[in-house]
């Protein structure tokens, strides 16, 4: 047994009063056009979101947005412009130097422009080490608010997931905004 389980076991043994969880029925914010709201908020948080038009080739759209990208990582079958498959890396350090990573999102949230990304690559470092990130998301998977998003969360065998909303940013360094401090400098969500 590890120390985390020991601590939680001790807490459980020493709790004398137990309470049932309350029924909570929260009506979260609703939007008349979830996709339009998602796009607007994505831009407000420093990212971008675009709708893939009927007949458009996603590879051509990505190439036009990131023409300078040389090292492109993706394990998505529809992405033919990828130069490396991150699942083939024997060591996560091999993924250093990725210009662009193209990944799949599961749920988008109109309320705050974030996208739920369950780990769907062998090394999750690809989400954070790439200079730029493209998230491919089904437009039907955009929900109004976080309450709805949490109802749809799934985990796979990796057991990891993360919400990503726009590029990495921090404003705690001498009160100035720094973009790309801990992850991608830019994030584009492509809604299919």
């Amino acid at each position: 047994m590890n120390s985390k389980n020991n601590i939680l076991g001790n807490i459980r043994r020493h709790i004398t009063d137990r309470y049932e969880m309350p029924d909570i029925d929260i009506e979260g914010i609703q939007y008349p056009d979830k996709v339009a709201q998602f796009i607007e908020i994505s831009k407000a948080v420093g990212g971008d979101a675009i709708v893939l038009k009927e007949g458009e080739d996603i590879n051509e759209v990505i190439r036009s947005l990131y023409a300078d990208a040389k090292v492109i990582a993706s394990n998505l079958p529809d992405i033919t412009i990828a130069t490396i498959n991150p699942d083939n890396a024997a060591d996560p350090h091999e993924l250093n130097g990725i210009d662009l990573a193209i990944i799949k999102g599961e749920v988008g949230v109109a309320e705050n422009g974030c996208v739920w990304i369950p780990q769907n690559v062998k090394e999750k470092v690809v989400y954070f080490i790439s200079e730029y990130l493209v998230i491919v998301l089904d437009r039907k998977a955009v929900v109004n608010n976080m309450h709805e998003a949490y109802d749809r969360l799934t985990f796979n065998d990796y057991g990891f997931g993360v919400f990503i909303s726009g590029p990495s940013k921090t404003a705690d360094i001498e009160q100035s905004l720094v973009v790309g401090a801990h992850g991608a400098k830019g994030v584009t969500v492509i809604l299919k």
Side-chain angles (χ1 to χ4, degrees), residues 6 10-11 14 23 29 31 38 45-46 55 57 69 77 81 87 100 103 112 138 146 152 154 157 169 177 182:
N6 285 335
N10 283 333
I11 291 170
H14 290 90
D23 289 330
I29 191 163
Y31 298 98
F38 179 84
V45 298
D57 179 8
I81 61 171
D87 292 342
L100 176 65
I103 62 174
N112 56 16
D138 184 337
M146 291 299 287
R152 292 187 179 199
T154 62
D157 294 341
K169 51 199 160 295
L177 180 64
H182 310 290

Side-chain angles (χ1 to χ4, degrees), residues 31-92:
Y31 298 98
D33 186 342
K34 294 180 286 195
V35 171
Q37 178 68 20
F38 179 84
I39 292 169
E40 181 181 332
I41 295 299
S42 294
K43 291 177 182 182
V45 298
D48 199 7
I50 60 172
V51 175
L52 193 65
K53 295 178 182 80
E54 185 72 33
E56 266 188 317
D57 179 8
I58 191 167
N59 293 285
E60 290 176 12
V61 170
I62 294 170
R63 179 51 76 197
S64 70
L65 294 171
Y66 298 94
D68 295 337
K70 303 287 184 252
V71 181
I72 302 171
S74 184
N75 67 354
L76 301 178
D78 294 346
I79 303 303
T80 58
I81 61 171
T83 59
I84 62 170
N85 182 332
D87 292 342
N88 295 337
D91 179 354

